[in-house]
Amino acid sequence: MLCRLGGRWLRPLPVLQHGARDRPLAPTSTGGVKRSALPVWAVASVSAVGSGGPGSWYEALATSAPVHGTEEVLLGVHTATGLPWWACIGLTTVALRGAVTLPLAAYQHYILAKVENLQPEIKNIARHLNQEVAVRANQLRWSKRVARLTYLKNMRRLVSELYVRDNCHPFKATVLVWIQFPMWIFMSVALRNFSTGATHSEGFSVQEQLATDGILWFPDLTALDSTWILPISVGIINLLIVEIFALQKIGMSRFQTYITYFVRAVSVLMIPVAATVPSSIVLYWLCSSLMGLSQNLLLRSPRFRQLCRIPLTKSDSDTPYKDLFAAFYAKFISKK
C-alpha cells in the first residue's frame, strides 16, 4: 500500500525475509507468493540506496527523482485512459517521442543542413588559407610543422566564425542525444521498477496489473519473452535505422565508418540483452525503435522538411523514398 505525503505517493521499503535474498518473491492478488521468472540480477531490490557496493549506483538511479517522475507519468496515463498496460506503454512512448524527440530531430537536421551548405565556403577558405600560409612560410622560412600548425589554428578560427555567423555549430546537433538517451534510461528503469513490485496509487500492485495486461504471445509483461520475438524485433528495427543512415551517407569518413560498425554491433547485442529483461521494457524499446524509424523516414520527406524550415542542400532528393529503396536493393538484394 502507498501512503500519501505532501501530494506525493510514497512506496514502503520492502522487507526481505531470511532466505529470500536469492529469489525475491512478489505478492499476488490471492495473498500468496509467486516466484519471479526473471533473472536474479533483474529483480534486485531498488528501494533503498546502499552505503556502497557494486549495486548502489543503480539503486540510486532507480530511486532518483527523474525515475519517480517517469513512474508518475506512466501511472497518470494509465489512470486517465483506462487502457491496458501494453497500450499505455505504447501510447506514452508515441507521445513522448512525438512531443520531445521529433522536434529535436528536426532541429538536428536543420543544423546539419546549414553545416552542409557551408562546406563549399569552407573549402574555398581552406584553399586560400593554404596558399597564404605557403607564401608566409617561404618568406619567414617556417618548418613544415610550424606551417601546418599555423594553418590548422587559423582554419579552426575561421570555421568557428562561420558557425557563429550562421548560428549552426555542429555541437547543437547533439542535443537530441543528450535528451533522448536519458529519457530512454528513465523509462526503462521505471518499467523495471513496476515489473519487480511497484505499487499502484489505489493500492493495487502494478506488478500484478502488468502480469495480466499483456497481449498476443506476451500476456505477462513482467515475464521474459520466451519466444524471443520482441528482442529480435528490437534488433532488426535498430539495424534498419543504422542502415538507412548509412545508405544516405555517400563517402563516409573512416571515423563515421567505425561508428556505423559500432552501432551495428550494439544493435545485435541488444537482442540477448532484451531477452533477459521483462517484456514491458522490451515492448517499450520496440515502440521507441519503431518511432525512431518512422521519424527517420519522415525527416526525409521534402514536404516535411519544408514545413520544418530545414534548408535545402545539394544532397537533398525529390524522390527520397525511391532512392532509399533503390540503394537498399542494390546493397542487400541485387548482390545475392
Side-chain angles (χ1 to χ4, degrees):
M1 298 288 291
L2 288 184
C3 59
R4 192 178 182 92
L5 180 62
R8 181 182 180 87
W9 291 103
L10 301 179
R11 184 179 302 114
L13 299 179
V15 179
L16 294 179
Q17 299 179 357
H18 178 69
R21 291 181 178 272
D22 294 332
R23 299 192 69 177
L25 302 179
T28 67
S29 57
T30 60
V33 292
K34 66 176 182 179
R35 294 193 180 276
S36 171
L38 303 179
V40 174
W41 67 267
V43 290
S45 173
V46 295
S47 301
V49 180
S51 57
S56 61
W57 68 269
Y58 183 83
E59 293 169 357
L61 172 64
T63 57
S64 64
V67 172
H68 282 311
T70 304
E71 291 174 358
E72 293 298 327
V73 169
L74 287 166
L75 288 173
V77 172
H78 183 259
T79 301
T81 62
L83 294 171
W85 271 107
W86 69 265
C88 182
I89 292 171
L91 177 62
T92 305
T93 304
V94 171
L96 288 176
R97 294 282 301 206
V100 179
T101 62
L102 179 58
L104 291 176
Y107 179 71
Q108 181 187 58
H109 281 250
Y110 172 82
I111 295 295
L112 294 177
K114 297 185 74 172
V115 171
E116 182 178 343
N117 288 336
L118 280 177
Q119 294 310 306
E121 188 172 355
I122 290 175
K123 290 180 179 179
N124 186 48
I125 291 175
R127 184 174 63 255
H128 285 87
L129 180 61
N130 189 42
Q131 295 174 353
E132 184 177 341
V133 169
V135 172
R136 297 290 293 175
N138 187 44
Q139 292 175 347
L140 301 177
R141 296 183 180 179
W142 289 344
S143 65
K144 290 184 178 180
R145 180 177 179 275
V146 172
R148 182 64 178 171
L149 291 175
T150 302
Y151 169 81
L152 292 176
K153 179 180 178 180
N154 283 277
M155 192 63 198
R156 280 194 297 266
R157 175 179 58 83
L158 293 171
V159 170
S160 180
E161 290 175 357
L162 289 179
Y163 290 153
V164 171
R165 185 196 70 187
D166 287 8
N167 192 24
C168 63
H169 196 285
F171 183 77
K172 292 183 177 181
T174 66
V175 66
L176 174 63
V177 177
W178 301 116
I179 299 297
Q180 179 175 316
F181 186 68
M183 186 171 70
W184 185 84
I185 292 293
F186 298 149
M187 279 286 291
S188 299
V189 176
L191 288 170
R192 185 262 193 188
N193 287 350
F194 284 172
S195 299
T196 55
T199 307
H200 194 280
S201 58
E202 296 178 357
F204 299 100
S205 171
V206 179
Q207 184 183 32
E208 292 177 10
Q209 294 178 342
L210 288 173
T212 58
D213 267 1
I215 192 175
L216 300 176
W217 67 90
F218 52 100
D220 184 355
L221 291 174
T222 67
L224 310 181
D225 181 8
S226 59
T227 67
W228 281 56
I229 295 177
L230 287 176
I232 292 175
S233 299
V234 170
I236 291 175
I237 298 300
N238 287 334
L239 282 174
L240 278 175
I241 295 174
V242 176
E243 295 308 322
I244 288 175
F245 172 81
L247 288 174
Q248 70 186 31
K249 294 293 183 181
I250 300 176
M252 289 193 300
S253 65
R254 180 176 298 181
F255 176 76
Q256 290 176 322
T257 301
Y258 289 155
I259 291 296
T260 301
Y261 279 117
F262 173 76
V263 178
R264 283 178 181 142
V266 171
S267 300
V268 174
L269 289 175
M270 280 294 292
I271 296 176
V273 171
T276 61
V277 298
S279 296
S280 59
I281 300 177
V282 191
L283 176 62
Y284 163 65
W285 290 353
L286 179 60
C287 293
S288 181
S289 295
L290 285 171
M291 281 297 295
L293 177 62
S294 301
Q295 289 178 6
N296 203 310
L297 294 173
L298 180 62
L299 284 165
R300 295 175 67 91
S301 168
R303 290 186 179 181
F304 187 77
R305 292 175 70 87
Q306 184 179 5
L307 179 64
C308 296
R309 297 184 178 181
I310 299 174
L312 290 173
T313 64
K314 188 177 180 180
S315 61
D316 284 347
S317 170
D318 294 331
T319 57
Y321 303 116
K322 181 180 179 180
D323 296 343
L324 178 62
F325 178 79
F328 190 88
Y329 182 86
K331 182 175 181 179
F332 299 104
I333 300 178
S334 64
K335 288 184 177 180
K336 296 182 180 180

